[in-house]
Amino acid sequence: MEKDSHTDEQIKKFYSLKNIAVVGMSKHPEKAAYLVPNYLAERGYNIIPVNPTADEIMSKKCYHQLNEVKESIDIVDVFRPSDQVLHVVEEAIKKQPKVIWLQEGIHNSEAEELANKAGIEVVFNRCMLAEHERLF
């Protein structure tokens, strides 16, 4: 699967953004959808869990939907199957993040085009933890 065309310098700049809503965050510590945001939280990022099946993850309030989040969001980090991304991106656009980050293995051209038209950068098929480790 292809990756987006962002340069390393562009990706590095995205890591200066601190409020990250994680859509599909897991409540199970052994899963990537928990490990990645936990890694980021340990490095000073403000993680905002979004999962319809949990009220709290990592001792933080968990929102059932992205549209419930009251605070500003810089990055929407998505852990959902590619065929479920379009709805997530439509909701994310309303929150006006600077970046929508589709984790490794996730790619949806229609959703990415929609986000780009709204002026939002889209990273796809990249892991936020792996890219952070690689670049820092």
Side-chain angles (χ1 to χ4, degrees):
M1 180 185 291
E2 66 189 278
K3 276 195 247 183
D4 59 84
S5 60
H6 290 98
T7 66
D8 284 353
E9 286 309 308
Q10 289 171 310
I11 295 290
K12 276 183 173 180
K13 284 182 184 170
F14 297 154
Y15 284 104
S16 69
L17 304 168
K18 296 299 179 188
N19 288 333
I20 305 173
V22 183
V23 177
M25 186 166 170
S26 179
K27 50 193 171 214
H28 303 287
E30 69 280 1
K31 292 193 172 185
Y34 181 98
L35 292 169
V36 172
N38 188 60
Y39 168 92
L40 295 168
E42 288 173 349
R43 280 145 189 86
Y45 293 89
N46 177 38
I47 300 301
I48 306 161
V50 180
N51 179 325
T53 67
D55 294 322
E56 187 177 282
I57 300 177
M58 285 182 8
S59 302
K60 292 178 150 282
K61 175 180 175 44
C62 182
Y63 296 91
H64 293 174
Q65 296 180 25
L66 196 55
N67 64 11
E68 296 173 359
V69 177
K70 301 287 185 258
E71 59 195 294
S72 70
I73 298 170
D74 298 319
I75 300 174
V76 174
D77 185 19
V78 182
F79 282 93
R80 300 301 308 140
S82 296
D83 63 355
Q84 294 177 18
V85 168
L86 182 58
H87 174 70
V88 173
V89 167
E90 289 169 342
E91 289 300 307
I93 288 169
K94 296 173 190 168
K95 302 304 280 183
Q96 300 179 311
K98 293 172 184 64
V99 178
I100 294 174
W101 190 301
L102 306 178
Q103 282 293 136
E104 198 167 21
I106 304 171
H107 179 41
N108 182 311
S109 299
E110 184 182 357
E112 292 150 18
E113 189 177 321
L114 195 63
N116 287 147
K117 283 182 180 172
I120 300 168
E121 297 280 352
V122 179
V123 176
F124 64 86
N125 192 29
R126 294 189 198 227
C127 174
M128 279 196 88
L129 185 157
E131 291 294 302
H132 189 275
E133 285 185 328
R134 183 177 72 79
L135 295 169
F136 298 97

